[in-house]
Amino acid sequence: MTERLADADLAALVPDWLDWAATAKQLGVTVAKVKTMIRDHELAAAVPTPGAGQQVPADFIQDGLVVKGLPGLLTMLHDGRYTDREIIAWLFTDDAYPGRPIDALRENRGSEVKRRAQAMAL
């Protein structure tokens, strides 16, 4: 599964991206803080198209905050050796969910997403 996720076309999966400055503005923090949040797995970033530079999926931010449950999920999947790129692909892929995992998180239905992520991370 990891290879498939690593090869995913993120530009096709993720409808809207924010550069680090736009991410900082949405969250009301500095660009340096966004960089720290990515490093600490509170946010994930990837290069959606060649030459674009690292960006954050816009759906990771809701009402000026990081989507509830996302940082813990990112940490869990990083511990399972997944990269930001693979995690973003998984979150935006409609697998056996009623919708994509990112939609479930945004609708405060994170329990099932976390159970599936735990199974993947093992």
Side-chain angles (χ1 to χ4, degrees):
M1 181 174 210
T2 302
E3 269 185 61
R4 190 173 66 89
L5 289 174
D7 295 336
D9 180 356
L10 293 184
L13 283 175
V14 181
D16 297 306
W17 293 86
L18 301 170
D19 64 22
W20 289 11
T23 302
K25 185 174 181 183
Q26 293 251 336
L27 292 172
V29 299
T30 63
V31 172
K33 176 64 175 169
V34 169
K35 185 177 179 180
T36 300
M37 292 172 80
I38 292 166
R39 185 192 67 221
D40 293 346
H41 309 306
E42 295 173 46
L43 281 173
V47 177
T49 55
Q54 276 202 335
Q55 297 181 33
V56 174
D59 281 342
F60 284 2
I61 299 169
Q62 187 173 32
D63 301 325
L65 300 169
V66 174
V67 170
K68 182 181 173 189
L70 182 65
L73 189 68
L74 293 173
T75 298
M76 181 191 321
L77 290 170
H78 276 285
D79 289 349
R81 304 268 186 244
Y82 286 87
T83 66
D84 274 8
R85 181 177 184 79
E86 292 165 335
I87 294 167
I88 291 168
W90 179 74
L91 282 166
F92 284 86
T93 299
D94 190 347
D95 207 359
Y97 289 96
R100 308 167 302 171
I102 187 62
D103 298 326
L105 282 178
R106 289 176 61 85
E107 294 164 8
N108 206 18
R109 296 184 292 117
S111 297
E112 176 63 17
V113 175
K114 289 177 191 150
R115 276 195 293 278
R116 289 177 187 247
Q118 283 174 329
M120 284 175 48
L122 294 177

